[in-house]
Amino acid sequence: MASSLTRDSADPSTEKTFFGHPRGLATLFMTEMWERFSYYGMRALLVVYILSGGPDAAEGSQAGGLAMRTAVATAIYSVYVAMVYLMALPGGWFGDRVWGARKTVTVAGGVIMAGHFALALPGQAMFFAGLALVAVGSGLLKANISTMVGHLYDGPQDPRRDSGFTLFYVGINLGAFVAPLAIGTVGQTVNWHLGFAMAGVGMALGLVQFLLGTKHLSPTSNLVPNPLSAQERNAIIVKVAASVGIIALFYAVVAFAGLFTLNWAMIPLTIAGLLIPIGVLVRIKRDKDLSAPEQSKMTGYIWFFVAAAVFWMIYDQGGSTLAAFAETKSANTLFGFDFPSTWFQSLNPLFVMSLAPVFAWLWIWLARKNQEPTTIVKFAMALVLVGGSFFVFVVPMGMAGDGGKVSPMWLVSIYMIQTIAELCLSPVGLSVTTKMAPQKYASQMMGVWFLAVTAGDCTTSLLSIAGVDLNGTTIIAAQAALAALAGFAIHMYRKKVQTMMGDVH
């Protein structure tokens, strides 16, 4: 709720306050809330829509989906999520060098909206076109809207800055919590494409209020920090045009020869999602401009990056492997009340909103007692916990092996364990990324952190494409063991990694 308190009539971004923060935070809060509403609502429908009408669909479920197998659904979902986070890297580049943060977010909102409305139209062609548009738009928006939040404050030392980002984080999880309950219910019980259209309307509402509220944003958000020169722009246009032309020609030949299948698109994207993060890390690590302490920190950071990739490989299956299990093998009935399987996707944001303040208080309380775990120990805890969640998952999978359905409380427990693990890793990972970033790459390292999500999801996709049954107890147990062992390994080498981190704790 905004008050009428006027702070500085010369600066429109500070005329009113939003819970004591610049009025522009309300604009960005609502934009991100509606964008996350559209993103998580569509994502909740994604796997069940792909399965619908096929041999792996739940008995009695709504028809009209793509009728694909679970392995294909998992691969598509994983590639899609990986591309969202991969596109955050060029998204930040566009904001810094081409359009500025404000224009980039405006364009991104329009692209996301177009993607959701494309999904609202039947047919595989519109489905994949819609996914591509949402992935590109989400990457553009994700990289720039947080930057605009930072622009509202008087530098990193502004005492309101951390609580402002906390409020912004609430908007993210509020949209993510409501979306599966609203969009998921309509899409899964009424009409798939109406659900996708609701996601488009949500993004449209976010875009409209963003445009109406731009007067409250910092003027800095409208600037291009490091604009391209005419020579650079021309060179990039030539390179992009040549790349697009070669790719289009290649796929035209494949299609003309009658060889094209879905794997012709998914395998190159999956491999790119694995090679690009490796290439980016190698390029930074080999940069001769970095000082010896920066080189040491980058070596230590690679440990965190690999740990995060293993974590996200398991965690992001909450929307694929766990979603497919919820649709086909969970009772989806509690206290006599039936609910769509998409509602399980609201558990994570609900737990985040409930537990994040508890963890924030816990770390401060432990710090006062000089007992707060180090960053490396928190990462180890996260890996052991996310591995433990899949060890728990093995139990209901075994119980449902004879065709029966298990209590929904199994999935509630798994999502809660994964959320606790996320709170040990995700906020800490963002923080350690900014602390360990070489000065030369300070603005790019947040995009590098997101590449850990890309690498994890692409690993899941590659396994699915290779024919590994990610819905089998053996592979679930193997992933659980991998995460747990990685956690123990990091804890065992914590002193070595801490030495590499230098003055970062």
Side-chain angles (χ1 to χ4, degrees), residues 198-351:
M198 280 183 65
V201 170
M203 188 64 252
L205 291 172
L207 182 58
V208 167
Q209 70 82 40
F210 176 76
L211 294 173
L212 293 175
T214 51
K215 60 182 178 289
H216 300 299
L217 301 177
S218 167
T220 306
S221 67
N222 216 22
L223 303 177
V224 182
N226 183 24
L228 291 170
S229 66
Q231 184 177 1
E232 288 176 316
R233 185 182 299 109
N234 292 337
I236 289 171
I237 290 173
V238 170
K239 289 178 181 178
V240 170
S243 299
V244 171
I246 292 170
I247 293 170
L249 178 62
F250 173 78
Y251 279 105
V253 172
V254 172
F256 182 77
L259 299 174
F260 184 82
T261 64
L262 192 56
N263 281 349
W264 277 98
M266 289 200 298
I267 291 175
L269 289 174
T270 298
I271 294 174
L274 290 171
L275 294 181
I276 289 174
I278 294 172
V280 170
L281 287 172
V282 169
R283 179 175 62 86
I284 295 174
K285 186 70 180 68
R286 296 181 64 182
D287 192 330
K288 298 186 184 304
D289 291 340
L290 302 189
S291 64
E294 288 177 327
Q295 286 281 2
S296 178
K297 288 178 182 177
M298 278 306 302
T299 302
Y301 184 75
I302 290 172
W303 281 75
F304 291 105
F305 186 92
V306 174
V310 173
F311 175 87
W312 295 116
M313 178 185 73
I314 294 178
Y315 180 88
D316 273 349
Q317 289 183 59
S320 55
T321 306
L322 288 176
F325 185 87
E327 170 70 356
T328 58
K329 297 179 180 179
S330 176
N332 298 348
T333 301
L334 196 61
F335 305 121
F337 176 73
D338 294 332
F339 56 90
S341 65
T342 47
W343 282 25
F344 283 107
Q345 300 301 308
S346 287
L347 288 172
N348 172 252
L350 175 63
F351 290 144

Side-chain angles (χ1 to χ4, degrees), residues 428-451:
V428 178
L430 291 170
S431 177
V432 79
T433 297
T434 59
K435 292 176 181 177
M436 296 179 69
Q439 184 63 36
K440 181 177 180 179
Y441 296 98
S443 62
Q444 298 179 39
M445 283 299 288
M446 201 56 69
V448 174
W449 169 252
F450 288 137
L451 289 180

